[in-house]
């Protein structure tokens, strides 16, 4: 039985960032916070690190010197992607309001805490943001996004072979998923499942007439063949963008997101069974996150760590100034321990704990009365 078990405040306030899990740590790269200056200054990408055992954040110190053009550290950005391989995170794409979009590959070593810029070859994709990236063994597949230089949405697929550091354009078969950005892609074996995102009535041309599809497309990366899944369930999530997606125990989950046609933010959870081709809405107890978009989700073991994003002050939000950026962290536990279940029961039923050992009473003192383990966390460790 999944539960929202932990809620922490006081972490990094980030929106449209990218994150990966490496060992027992989560590394969050870049993103923005409303009010930060992206037009007059250029600075290196920030890296926030969460120790998932102590639930403490820390900010990696900025370098003493920074060369945006020739250095090994990416400039600050949003709408980029990150995948992990062999204790390293590979950052690609994204943009900011001063420097525009980027198509340089960067590598961050999660053990040495060092940046590098691998030399790549082949057919390098055009600079973009709002794309998706999935790793399948030693290859990274990217799909979609908005290509800045030619001012269009993309429905193309590219692959980077980490063994040779070579990019290739993937010629696909079948009917591809529609041109889009800020969708999600989840890798299951050799299959990449695409859901959501913002499309346009003009196809690859931006006309400001948005489309939010709730269809699921699958790319078989072994045959480079697209197919649209025939969903058998009557329940399907509404179309959305800037949501989160992750894979756990045979199911693809989505959380949250935003539909611009209805000006609606979400905090629902849906699970897709790729075998039965059926959706179901997952009702999860505990103190759940508020409706939001542009957050990050990372899976470690049986726990999903969700943090950041932005929400409307009031639903619906009339413009960007009506949004609130978050510095919180939530943990969704698919296999909560007996101790966690007991602690939550004590809170829910307001049980008297005076007869318990002092150590257990101290654990309970860290909780609030909203049925979740909650406390403030220090960004600087």
């Amino acid at each position: 039985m999944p539960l929202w078990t932990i809620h922490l405040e006081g972490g990094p306030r980030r929106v449209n960032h990218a994150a990966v899990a490496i060992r027992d740590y989560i590394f969050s790269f870049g993103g923005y916070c409303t009010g930060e200056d992206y037009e007059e200054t250029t600075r290196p990408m920030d890296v926030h690190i969460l120790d998932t055992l102590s639930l403490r954040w820390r900010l990696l110190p900025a370098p003493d010197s920074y060369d945006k053009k020739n250095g090994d550290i990416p400039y600050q950005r949003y709408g980029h992607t990150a995948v992990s391989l062999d204790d390293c995170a590979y950052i690609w794409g994204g943009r900011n309001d001063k420097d525009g979009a980027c198509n340089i590959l960067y590598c961050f070593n999660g053990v040495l805490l060092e940046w590098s810029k691998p030399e790549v070859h082949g057919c390098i994709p055009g600079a973009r943001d709002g794309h998706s990236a999935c790793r399948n063994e030693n290859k990274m597949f990217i799909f979609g996004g908005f290509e800045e230089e030619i001012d269009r949405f993309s429905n193309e697929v590219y692959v980077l072979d980490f063994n040779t550091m070579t990019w290739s354009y993937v010629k696909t078969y079948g009917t591809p998923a529609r041109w889009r950005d800020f969708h999600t892609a989840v890798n299951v074996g050799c299959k990449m499942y695409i859901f959501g995102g913002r499309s346009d009535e003009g196809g690859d041309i931006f006309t400001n007439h948005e489309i939010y599809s709730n269809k699921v497309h699958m790319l078989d990366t072994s045959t480079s063949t697209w197919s649209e899944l025939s969903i058998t369930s009557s329940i399907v999530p509404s179309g959305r963008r800037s949501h989160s997606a992750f894979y756990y125990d045979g199911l693809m989950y989505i959380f949250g997101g935003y539909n611009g046609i209805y000006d609606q933010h979400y905090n629902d959870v849906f699970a897709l069974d790729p075998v039965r081709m059926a959706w179901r809405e997952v009702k999860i107890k505990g103190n759940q996150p508020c409706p939001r978009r542009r957050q990050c989700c990372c899976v470690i073991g049986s726990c999903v760590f969700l943090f950041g994003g932005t929400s409307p002050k009031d639903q619906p939000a009339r413009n960007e100034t009506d949004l609130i950026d978050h510095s919180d962290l939530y943990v969704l536990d698919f296999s909560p321990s007996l101790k966690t279940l007991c602690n939550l029961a004590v809170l829910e039923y307001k049980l008297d704990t005076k007869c318990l050992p002092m150590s257990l009473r101290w654990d309970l003192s860290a909780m609030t009365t909203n049925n979740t383990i909650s406390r403030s966390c220090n960004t600087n460790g």
Side-chain angles (χ1 to χ4, degrees), residues 62-179:
D64 296 331
S65 60
Y66 174 60
D67 184 343
K68 181 195 74 174
K69 185 176 181 180
N70 301 310
D72 293 339
I73 304 176
Y75 58 75
Q76 183 72 340
R77 65 191 63 188
Y78 54 87
H80 49 295
T81 53
V83 302
S84 61
L85 174 66
D86 296 335
D87 291 338
C88 289
Y90 290 88
I91 313 297
W92 193 84
R95 70 180 310 276
N96 69 28
D97 298 336
K98 175 177 172 59
D99 301 288
C102 179
N103 68 343
I104 299 173
L105 180 72
Y106 293 92
C107 175
F108 182 82
N109 189 303
V111 177
L112 301 178
L113 306 183
E114 294 178 348
W115 285 104
S116 62
K117 186 165 62 176
E119 182 179 354
V120 297
H121 313 277
C123 182
I124 300 174
R128 69 194 67 197
D129 73 310
H131 56 288
S132 60
C134 285
R135 181 180 66 83
N136 182 358
E137 296 183 345
N138 288 324
K139 293 181 179 181
M140 177 177 73
F141 291 83
I142 69 166
F143 167 75
F146 189 82
E147 297 183 73
E148 182 171 272
E149 184 174 351
I150 56 178
D151 194 32
R152 74 175 182 96
F153 290 103
S154 173
N155 70 342
E156 297 173 337
V157 179
Y158 288 84
V159 60
L160 174 68
D161 189 327
F162 286 113
N163 291 326
T164 61
M165 285 296 169
T166 301
W167 282 102
S168 301
Y169 169 75
V170 180
K171 181 180 179 180
T172 61
Y173 305 92
T175 303
R178 191 177 180 88
W179 302 267

Side-chain angles (χ1 to χ4, degrees), residues 347-365:
L347 289 173
E348 182 176 0
Y349 298 106
K350 300 183 175 139
L351 301 178
D352 188 353
T353 62
K354 293 179 181 179
C355 62
L356 295 176
M358 186 62 68
S359 60
L360 292 180
R361 275 188 276 167
W362 184 89
D363 286 343
L364 291 170
S365 69

Side-chain angles (χ1 to χ4, degrees), residues 263-322:
D263 198 10
Q264 180 74 35
H265 287 76
Y266 302 98
N267 66 340
D268 47 11
V269 178
F270 283 86
L272 174 68
D273 185 333
V275 176
R276 296 177 54 243
M277 300 297 182
W279 284 103
R280 65 180 176 90
E281 186 171 5
V282 184
K283 299 295 186 180
I284 302 174
K285 291 186 177 181
N287 183 25
Q288 66 181 0
C290 64
R292 65 184 66 196
R293 57 174 153 158
R294 300 170 177 167
Q295 66 281 339
C296 275
C297 279
C298 290
V299 180
I300 296 181
S302 65
C303 291
V304 181
F305 296 82
L306 183 152
F307 55 97
T310 190
S311 295
K313 297 176 184 177
D314 297 298
Q315 188 87 271
R318 291 176 293 277
N319 52 59
E320 292 291 324
T321 61
D322 293 325

